[in-house]
Amino acid sequence: MTTAESRRSAADTTGPVVRTTAGAVRGRREDGLAVFRGIPFAQPPVGEGRFAAPRPPHAWEGTREAYAFGPPPPQEAGIQGRTAGPAAPLGDDWLTVNVWTPDADPAARRPVMVWIYGGAYKLGHSGSPGYDAQHIARDGDLVVVTFNYRVGMEGFALIEGAPANRGLLDQVAALEWVRDNITAFGGDPGQVTVFGESAGAGSVAALLAMPRAAGLFRRAIAQSVPGTYFSEELARDLAGALAAEVGLRATVADLSTTDPRRLTAAGQGLGRKMHQYQDRWGKAAPTVTPFSPVVDGEVLPATPWRALADGVARDVELVAGHNREEFQLFLVLGGLLGKISDEQVTAALRLFVPGPDGERAYRAAYPDAAADELYERVHSDWLFRMPTVHLLDAQVAGGGRAYGYELTWPAPGSKGVLGACHGLDIPLVFRTFTADLGSLLFAGVEPSPEAEALSSRFRASWTAFARTGDPGWPEYDSERRLVQILAADPVVTGYPEEESRRLWEGHEFTALPLLM
């Protein structure tokens, strides 16, 4: 054994020990924090538990080592930062939590932030290096929790004989674990803030609307909320198509003994050809993901916009915002920059923009926009920007408090063509500039003092909100619509995408329907 290995071995036996409801866990001390990884919050969802709601974890004897992240749930490959990666652990104990805490002292009662990853509801895991929460916990002097939830077929396909929205039910189970255990890690279960990006933000919005999640968190941060929630009819049709990819029916009886990797491949295969079924699946077809939360009337009784406008989350304080050029990331990754035709712009405007005169109105509002720019704008508006601002409006209409923001600082990597694109907020919040998606968005450049300052501002605002309910700028309302612009020189101003907002005024984001 080397000297370094000997030191680590000694540290392993003297690390902090915390007793959870299922048993004791031992973590490690890392740069002033106590860190615990891979703690089960539910039983492995395999065997009889396959496609079932999460079940409480089995208790264990002795002290369990909480040194390594749990294995990611089955998932397909994706863009940088959203795959399990070759070094990810193997196994079926997918449902685990991780905790970063300044001090595992039950008397500390620090605020708690719980991160929900994104990934189009079909990929992602909490062990991704881009979600290393040490800087948030250390800079904010609070407790941070991350966790895995089922994605893709395992978590979101509407399967006969299985509950809908199993991925959301996993999230509720993780939050219940936080409620029951976080005091022992130095956290305050009455001061929990959930935060997430993209599908993670869509999950946050869904949790705000879910009766089963009521009371499990006090505050919420939704970064780039996607507008895609499925009707039961659409979700059932998509699940049938997914199962047909492997010659089966979308039932628990058919799928529960099928290797998850076959189902992952089925999801990936269907995603590649969804655009061929636009006449059947409508706006869901171009998203290349057959998964989203299902408005099933039980787990998720209504869309988040309808639920919030009805006041179901008026007691939860909300921060919601988006990035200025959300869809630019997908144009760059798809090799589409400079290749968008006016015919493609016309098709996008006619598909996504509300109202019979939507195409003309968009072209009139942005008369000087090139094809690429108008194509990016309409996709960003319908998929992320308008759903986000409408969520703010719904929260205010329902009597709740809300704060809005827009990130306008451009990503420095890829020769500067990415702009303030989708996902840029992740490496800024976590200060993980060289990990996962950050390695693309900051490719070939050292993080500048400007990037470091903006990253610090993100964390200061997010942790202040978790601690006090105030991120440091004025509340959003339906008259002034003040939002925080996150840039090199941050300012508070009226909502900067007002031209688009007016074009979408009065539009209701409903569950996406099955068209035929």
Side-chain angles (χ1 to χ4, degrees), residues 463-505:
T463 58
F465 178 71
R467 190 175 298 281
T468 67
D470 182 355
W473 62 84
E475 288 184 42
Y476 179 90
D477 62 57
S478 58
E479 295 180 3
R480 297 180 301 165
R481 302 185 187 279
L482 296 178
V483 300
Q484 174 71 62
I485 303 300
L486 291 164
D489 296 308
V491 296
V492 173
T493 186
Y495 181 61
E497 312 303 332
E498 182 63 14
E499 197 75 45
S500 289
R501 192 201 65 78
R502 283 199 295 266
L503 294 172
W504 288 76
E505 196 163 27

Coordinates of all heavy atoms in Angstrom, one line a residue, residues 463-505:
T463 N -28.1 31.0 -3.4 CA -28.0 30.7 -2.0 C -28.7 31.7 -1.1 O -29.3 31.3 -0.1 CB -26.6 30.4 -1.6 OG1 -25.8 31.6 -1.8 CG2 -26.0 29.3 -2.4
A464 N -28.7 33.0 -1.5 CA -29.4 34.0 -0.8 C -30.9 33.7 -0.8 O -31.7 33.8 0.2 CB -29.1 35.4 -1.3
F465 N -31.4 33.3 -2.0 CA -32.8 33.0 -2.2 C -33.2 31.8 -1.3 O -34.2 31.7 -0.6 CB -33.1 32.7 -3.6 CG -34.5 32.2 -3.9 CD1 -35.6 33.1 -3.8 CD2 -34.8 30.9 -4.3 CE1 -36.9 32.8 -4.0 CE2 -36.1 30.5 -4.5 CZ -37.1 31.4 -4.4
A466 N -32.3 30.7 -1.3 CA -32.5 29.6 -0.4 C -32.6 29.9 1.0 O -33.3 29.3 1.8 CB -31.4 28.5 -0.7
R467 N -31.8 30.9 1.4 CA -31.7 31.3 2.8 C -32.8 32.3 3.2 O -33.4 32.1 4.3 CB -30.3 32.0 3.1 CG -30.0 32.2 4.5 CD -28.6 32.8 4.7 NE -27.6 31.8 4.2 CZ -27.2 30.8 4.8 NH1 -27.6 30.5 6.1 NH2 -26.3 29.9 4.3
T468 N -33.2 33.2 2.3 CA -34.1 34.3 2.8 C -35.4 34.4 1.9 O -36.3 35.1 2.3 CB -33.4 35.6 2.7 OG1 -33.1 36.0 1.3 CG2 -32.1 35.6 3.5
G469 N -35.4 33.8 0.7 CA -36.5 34.0 -0.2 C -36.3 35.2 -1.1 O -37.3 35.6 -1.8
D470 N -35.2 35.8 -1.0 CA -34.9 37.0 -1.8 C -33.6 36.9 -2.6 O -32.5 36.8 -1.9 CB -34.8 38.3 -0.9 CG -34.6 39.6 -1.7 OD1 -34.4 39.5 -2.9 OD2 -34.6 40.6 -1.0
P471 N -33.6 36.8 -3.9 CA -32.3 36.6 -4.6 C -31.5 37.8 -4.8 O -30.4 37.8 -5.3 CB -32.8 36.0 -6.0 CG -34.1 36.7 -6.2 CD -34.7 36.8 -4.8
G472 N -32.1 39.0 -4.4 CA -31.3 40.2 -4.5 C -31.8 41.2 -5.6 O -31.1 42.1 -5.9
W473 N -33.0 41.0 -6.1 CA -33.6 41.9 -7.1 C -35.1 42.0 -6.9 O -35.6 41.1 -6.2 CB -33.2 41.5 -8.5 CG -33.7 40.2 -9.0 CD1 -34.9 39.9 -9.6 CD2 -32.9 39.0 -9.1 NE1 -35.0 38.6 -10.0 CE2 -33.8 38.0 -9.7 CE3 -31.6 38.6 -8.8 CZ2 -33.4 36.7 -10.0 CZ3 -31.2 37.3 -9.0 CH2 -32.1 36.4 -9.6
P474 N -35.8 42.9 -7.5 CA -37.2 43.1 -7.2 C -38.1 41.9 -7.7 O -37.7 41.2 -8.6 CB -37.6 44.4 -8.0 CG -36.3 45.1 -8.2 CD -35.2 44.0 -8.3
E475 N -39.2 41.8 -7.0 CA -40.2 40.7 -7.4 C -40.7 41.0 -8.8 O -40.8 42.2 -9.3 CB -41.3 40.7 -6.4 CG -41.0 40.1 -5.1 CD -42.3 40.0 -4.2 OE1 -43.3 39.6 -4.7 OE2 -42.2 40.3 -3.0
Y476 N -41.1 39.9 -9.5 CA -41.7 40.0 -10.8 C -43.2 40.3 -10.6 O -43.8 39.7 -9.7 CB -41.5 38.7 -11.5 CG -42.2 38.6 -12.9 CD1 -41.5 39.0 -14.0 CD2 -43.5 38.2 -13.0 CE1 -42.0 39.0 -15.3 CE2 -44.1 38.1 -14.3 CZ -43.3 38.5 -15.4 OH -43.9 38.4 -16.7
D477 N -43.8 41.2 -11.4 CA -45.2 41.4 -11.4 C -45.7 41.5 -12.8 O -44.9 41.7 -13.8 CB -45.6 42.6 -10.5 CG -45.1 43.9 -11.1 OD1 -45.3 44.2 -12.2 OD2 -44.4 44.6 -10.3
S478 N -47.0 41.5 -13.0 CA -47.6 41.4 -14.4 C -47.7 42.8 -15.0 O -48.2 42.9 -16.2 CB -49.0 40.8 -14.3 OG -49.8 41.5 -13.4
E479 N -47.2 43.8 -14.3 CA -47.3 45.2 -14.9 C -45.9 45.6 -15.3 O -45.6 45.9 -16.5 CB -47.9 46.2 -13.9 CG -49.4 45.9 -13.6 CD -50.0 46.8 -12.7 OE1 -49.3 47.8 -12.2 OE2 -51.2 46.7 -12.3
R480 N -45.0 45.7 -14.4 CA -43.6 46.2 -14.7 C -42.8 45.1 -15.3 O -41.9 45.3 -16.1 CB -42.9 46.7 -13.5 CG -43.6 48.0 -12.8 CD -42.8 48.4 -11.6 NE -42.8 47.4 -10.6 CZ -42.0 47.4 -9.6 NH1 -41.1 48.4 -9.4 NH2 -42.0 46.4 -8.7
R481 N -43.0 43.8 -14.9 CA -42.3 42.7 -15.4 C -40.8 42.8 -15.2 O -40.0 42.6 -16.2 CB -42.6 42.4 -16.8 CG -44.1 42.1 -17.1 CD -44.4 41.7 -18.5 NE -45.9 41.6 -18.7 CZ -46.6 40.6 -18.3 NH1 -46.1 39.6 -17.8 NH2 -47.9 40.7 -18.6
L482 N -40.3 43.3 -14.1 CA -38.9 43.5 -13.9 C -38.2 42.1 -13.7 O -38.7 41.2 -13.0 CB -38.7 44.3 -12.6 CG -39.2 45.8 -12.7 CD1 -38.9 46.5 -11.4 CD2 -38.5 46.5 -13.8
V483 N -37.0 42.0 -14.4 CA -36.2 40.8 -14.2 C -34.8 41.2 -14.1 O -34.4 42.3 -14.5 CB -36.4 39.9 -15.5 CG1 -37.8 39.4 -15.6 CG2 -35.9 40.6 -16.7
Q484 N -34.0 40.3 -13.5 CA -32.5 40.5 -13.4 C -31.8 40.0 -14.7 O -32.0 38.9 -15.1 CB -32.0 39.7 -12.2 CG -30.5 39.8 -12.0 CD -30.0 41.1 -11.6 OE1 -30.3 41.6 -10.5 NE2 -29.2 41.7 -12.4
I485 N -31.1 40.9 -15.3 CA -30.2 40.5 -16.4 C -28.9 40.0 -15.9 O -28.2 40.8 -15.2 CB -30.0 41.6 -17.4 CG1 -31.4 42.1 -17.9 CG2 -29.2 41.2 -18.6 CD1 -32.2 41.1 -18.6
L486 N -28.6 38.8 -16.1 CA -27.3 38.2 -15.6 C -26.3 38.3 -16.8 O -26.4 37.6 -17.8 CB -27.5 36.8 -15.2 CG -28.3 36.7 -13.9 CD1 -28.8 35.3 -13.7 CD2 -27.5 37.1 -12.7
A487 N -25.4 39.3 -16.6 CA -24.4 39.6 -17.7 C -23.1 40.1 -17.0 O -23.0 40.1 -15.7 CB -24.9 40.7 -18.6
A488 N -22.2 40.5 -17.8 CA -20.9 41.1 -17.2 C -21.2 42.3 -16.3 O -20.6 42.5 -15.3 CB -20.0 41.5 -18.3
D489 N -22.2 43.1 -16.7 CA -22.7 44.2 -15.9 C -24.2 44.0 -15.6 O -25.1 44.5 -16.3 CB -22.5 45.5 -16.6 CG -21.0 45.8 -16.8 OD1 -20.2 45.7 -15.9 OD2 -20.6 46.1 -18.0
P490 N -24.5 43.2 -14.5 CA -25.9 42.9 -14.3 C -26.8 44.1 -14.0 O -26.3 45.1 -13.3 CB -25.8 42.0 -13.0 CG -24.4 41.5 -13.0 CD -23.6 42.6 -13.6
V491 N -28.0 44.1 -14.6 CA -28.9 45.2 -14.4 C -30.3 44.6 -14.2 O -30.6 43.5 -14.6 CB -28.9 46.2 -15.5 CG1 -27.6 46.9 -15.7 CG2 -29.4 45.5 -16.8
V492 N -31.2 45.4 -13.6 CA -32.6 45.1 -13.5 C -33.4 45.9 -14.5 O -33.2 47.1 -14.6 CB -33.2 45.3 -12.1 CG1 -34.7 45.1 -12.0 CG2 -32.5 44.4 -11.0
T493 N -34.2 45.2 -15.3 CA -34.9 45.9 -16.4 C -36.2 45.2 -16.6 O -36.5 44.1 -16.1 CB -34.1 46.0 -17.6 OG1 -34.7 46.8 -18.6 CG2 -33.8 44.6 -18.2
G494 N -37.1 45.8 -17.4 CA -38.3 45.1 -17.9 C -37.9 43.9 -18.7 O -36.9 43.9 -19.3
Y495 N -38.8 43.0 -18.8 CA -38.6 41.7 -19.5 C -38.1 42.0 -20.9 O -38.7 42.6 -21.7 CB -39.8 40.9 -19.5 CG -39.6 39.5 -20.2 CD1 -38.7 38.6 -19.7 CD2 -40.3 39.2 -21.3 CE1 -38.5 37.4 -20.3 CE2 -40.2 38.0 -22.0 CZ -39.2 37.1 -21.5 OH -39.0 35.9 -22.1
P496 N -36.8 41.6 -21.2 CA -36.2 42.0 -22.5 C -36.8 41.3 -23.7 O -36.6 41.8 -24.8 CB -34.7 41.6 -22.3 CG -34.8 40.5 -21.3 CD -35.9 40.8 -20.4
E497 N -37.5 40.2 -23.6 CA -38.1 39.6 -24.7 C -39.6 40.0 -24.9 O -40.5 39.2 -25.2 CB -38.0 38.0 -24.6 CG -36.6 37.6 -24.2 CD -35.5 38.0 -25.2 OE1 -35.8 38.2 -26.4 OE2 -34.4 38.1 -24.8
E498 N -39.9 41.2 -24.6 CA -41.2 41.7 -24.6 C -41.9 41.6 -25.9 O -43.1 41.3 -26.0 CB -41.3 43.2 -24.1 CG -42.6 43.8 -24.0 CD -43.5 43.1 -22.9 OE1 -43.0 42.4 -22.1 OE2 -44.7 43.4 -22.9
E499 N -41.2 41.7 -27.0 CA -41.8 41.6 -28.3 C -42.4 40.2 -28.5 O -43.5 40.0 -29.0 CB -40.8 41.9 -29.4 CG -41.4 42.2 -30.8 CD -42.0 43.5 -30.9 OE1 -41.4 44.5 -30.4 OE2 -43.1 43.6 -31.4
S500 N -41.6 39.2 -28.2 CA -42.1 37.8 -28.2 C -43.2 37.6 -27.2 O -44.2 36.9 -27.6 CB -41.0 36.8 -28.0 OG -40.1 36.8 -29.1
R501 N -43.0 38.1 -26.0 CA -44.1 37.9 -25.0 C -45.4 38.4 -25.5 O -46.5 37.7 -25.3 CB -43.7 38.6 -23.7 CG -44.6 38.1 -22.5 CD -44.5 39.2 -21.4 NE -45.1 40.4 -21.8 CZ -46.4 40.7 -21.9 NH1 -47.3 39.7 -21.6 NH2 -46.9 41.9 -22.2
R502 N -45.5 39.5 -26.1 CA -46.7 40.0 -26.6 C -47.3 39.1 -27.7 O -48.6 39.0 -27.8 CB -46.6 41.5 -27.2 CG -46.4 42.5 -26.1 CD -46.7 43.9 -26.6 NE -45.7 44.3 -27.6 CZ -44.6 45.0 -27.3 NH1 -44.4 45.4 -26.1 NH2 -43.8 45.3 -28.3
L503 N -46.5 38.5 -28.5 CA -47.0 37.6 -29.5 C -47.6 36.4 -28.9 O -48.5 35.7 -29.6 CB -45.9 37.2 -30.5 CG -45.3 38.4 -31.4 CD1 -44.1 37.9 -32.1 CD2 -46.3 38.9 -32.3
W504 N -47.2 36.0 -27.7 CA -47.7 34.8 -27.1 C -48.7 35.2 -26.0 O -49.1 34.3 -25.2 CB -46.5 34.0 -26.4 CG -45.7 33.3 -27.5 CD1 -44.7 33.9 -28.3 CD2 -45.7 31.9 -27.8 NE1 -44.2 33.0 -29.1 CE2 -44.7 31.7 -28.8 CE3 -46.4 30.9 -27.3 CZ2 -44.4 30.5 -29.4 CZ3 -46.1 29.6 -27.9 CH2 -45.2 29.4 -28.9
E505 N -49.0 36.4 -25.8 CA -49.9 36.8 -24.8 C -51.3 36.2 -25.0 O -51.8 36.1 -26.1 CB -50.1 38.4 -24.8 CG -50.7 38.9 -23.5 CD -50.5 40.4 -23.3 OE1 -50.3 41.1 -24.3 OE2 -50.4 40.9 -22.2

